[in-house]
Amino acid sequence: MVRVGILVGSLRRESFSKKIAANVAELFPNGFETAFVEIGNLPLYNQDFDDDHDVPAEMTAFRSTMKEIDAVLFVTPEYNRSIPAVLKNALDVGSRPYGSSVWDEKPAAIISQSPGNISGFGANHHLRQPLVFLNMPVLQQPEAYLANSAELLNENGEITNEGTIQFLQTFVDAFVDLIKRYQA
């Protein structure tokens, strides 16, 4: 069983990113298990935690969970033309202590979304920068930018536009292929 962790860059209860991620999780084939990984409870990273051997339990649990994950799907909004702080903090927490990164060589894919027309382009590309440094092979094509995200979801949080569903299936299929290449 291949385990795909889903990290959502929004903490809002009615988050569009969370709803989109739930839809996308259903598109993975048999043999792939998806799991949302909580990042909203992580304290801000401070190296003193590791240096003093006083790591908060939430950080230890997150690191342990991510070590068991085979690949990571990031679904995020754009905040001020970049990624939300909660997502960057999760990357930092998982990258430490030095030499013990939970991210190394884990395939990754990014879906950015926005209720506006720009579709999270800035967040998508800013997230790629730390992922390169963290040695995560990132799905290059197709790129997933979802504009007007509020209009994509019905009252039950489901994506009903057949063209969008087909695109997201193509995206997941390409991500599955990337994961398989790195598991060989």
Side-chain angles (χ1 to χ4, degrees):
M1 184 67 65
V2 177
R3 297 164 308 247
V4 178
I6 300 174
L7 273 64
V8 176
S10 174
L11 301 178
R12 193 170 64 89
R13 276 187 309 275
E14 294 297 318
S15 161
F16 298 132
S17 294
K18 193 181 310 177
K19 291 176 182 179
I20 289 167
N23 281 265
V24 173
E26 299 298 319
L27 300 176
F28 281 85
N30 289 336
F32 284 75
E33 176 182 274
T34 59
F36 284 81
V37 180
E38 177 61 44
I39 62 174
N41 64 344
L42 295 173
L44 291 176
Y45 181 72
N46 180 335
Q47 187 172 327
D48 290 342
F49 295 143
D50 289 314
D51 290 349
D52 296 343
H53 305 288
D54 190 24
V55 179
E58 298 87 356
M59 288 182 165
T60 300
F62 175 74
R63 289 170 175 170
S64 294
T65 296
M66 291 312 301
K67 284 179 185 175
E68 300 301 316
I69 295 293
D70 299 306
V72 184
L73 172 64
F74 296 93
V75 183
T76 187
E78 179 173 295
Y79 289 178
N80 303 311
R81 300 285 188 256
S82 190
I83 60 174
V86 68
L87 191 50
K88 179 61 167 74
N89 187 53
L91 292 173
D92 293 343
V93 167
S95 72
R96 296 290 188 257
Y98 183 78
S100 299
S101 175
V102 301
W103 309 113
D104 192 42
E105 296 185 356
K106 289 187 187 201
I110 303 167
I111 298 173
S112 59
Q113 64 79 23
S114 171
N117 287 329
I118 296 178
S119 64
F121 177 85
N124 198 302
H125 283 264
H126 279 195
L127 182 51
R128 289 172 187 272
Q129 291 174 335
L131 299 186
V132 167
F133 178 78
L134 295 170
N135 197 31
M136 296 182 79
V138 181
L139 179 65
Q140 300 301 311
Q141 294 293 325
E143 294 175 293
Y145 311 102
L146 300 179
N148 305 306
S149 53
E151 297 167 21
L152 290 176
L153 301 161
N154 69 15
E155 63 278 353
N156 298 319
E158 301 164 330
I159 298 173
T160 57
N161 179 289
E162 199 55 45
T164 302
I165 294 168
Q166 288 175 359
F167 167 73
L168 290 170
Q169 185 65 67
T170 300
F171 175 85
V172 168
D173 292 346
F175 186 32
V176 165
D177 288 344
L178 177 71
I179 294 167
K180 286 178 179 177
R181 282 198 311 264
Y182 280 86
Q183 291 211 318

